[in-house]
Amino acid sequence: MSEATSPGKIILFGEHAVVYGRPAIAVPVAEVQARAVLHPAGSGADFRIIAPDLSQDYELTEAKPDDPLATIVQTTLQYLGQPAPPAATLHISSTIPLGRGLGSGAAISTAIVRAMAQFLYRSLAPAEVSSLVYEVEKLYHGTPSGIDNTVVAFEQPVYFVKGRPIQRMRVKHPLTLVIGDTGIVAPTHTVVGDLRRRWQVEPERYEGYFDEVGVIVNQARVAIEEGRLGLMAIGELMNENQELLESLGVSSPELDGLIQAARQAGALGAKLSGAGWGGNMIALAEPQVAVAVAQALTQAGAVKVITTEVARST
Ligand code: PMV
């Protein structure tokens, strides 16, 4: 038997612009997890995939060619030089809400890669796990930047630029984040595709927004790593990033409502996180204000609220 988990994630700064080569910052969220468990089956048995949360139960040989779960299993087997799947049953479960910007797809794939490697007595470096998961992210997202698989496979705060090796980030002071879920599912590839069409019509306008986002991300990196300007500066940068996300056309009335509620309850800053049009927003709060922010989000209609801390790191 082998068992592996993976955390969820949130993007702190820079979503969307990261698809166009600008930097972004993301952190893992350990309060939600994907889990993959592999049990050996009798010799000659087929490899079976059971994912009750996704209402899936099938044999690998019956999977459709673009099935994301089967694809990550097959990609991993190939990478590990395993010609045939082992006789085993793979159980997948997750507490990460699907399609809400918390990285559920990347986390499920990561847990599967880790469990498969363990089952076959192999060990994979985080960079190897990340690039295997990226292959499947392409199926989910179309043109993924690669930030989700990176932060989830490395399980630490990252400063990410598409196509470049990961840059780990120090965190000078812990960050308390309150995450509010609009309950609205907005597929990432739809939002990213819609923005791409608008970018194609008015490239200069959108490149200008992406540049502005890039400047904010770099300022946020300094603020998080050096802590000299305090939490207020990080909150202010989140608000500025949100304004640009609104200009990019990826916010929504529901997200705006939750963001407003968090700010009124004393959050230092708030923005949407992930693709937008639905999914989650995040608010930065002083620890003693986090409960009030969480309550305000629930009152404003959030279907789920998670409070997480980005720990201090050196
Ligand atoms: O919805 P999520 O968390 O998968 O976020 C997508 C982030 C984007 O920047 C919009 C897309 C990407 O591939 O980075």
Side-chain angles (χ1 to χ4, degrees), residues 9 11 15-16 18-19 101 141 144-145 147-148 188 192 274-275:
K9 73 100 218 327
I11 298 181
E15 47 277 274
H16 286 289
V18 69
V19 175
H141 289 344
S145 62
I147 192 167
D148 280 22
T188 299
V192 170

Side-chain angles (χ1 to χ4, degrees), residues 36-83:
V37 184
L38 263 168
H39 290 282
S43 69
D46 279 320
F47 189 100
R48 190 163 153 215
I49 298 173
I50 304 178
D53 305 334
L54 304 170
S55 314
Q56 305 271 27
D57 182 346
Y58 52 94
E59 275 160 16
L60 190 60
T61 45
E62 308 167 338
K64 295 198 192 89
D66 60 351
D67 179 276
L69 301 176
T71 304
I72 193 68
V73 168
Q74 268 148 350
T75 308
T76 309
L77 287 172
Q78 214 174 8
Y79 185 76
L80 296 173
Q82 192 78 13

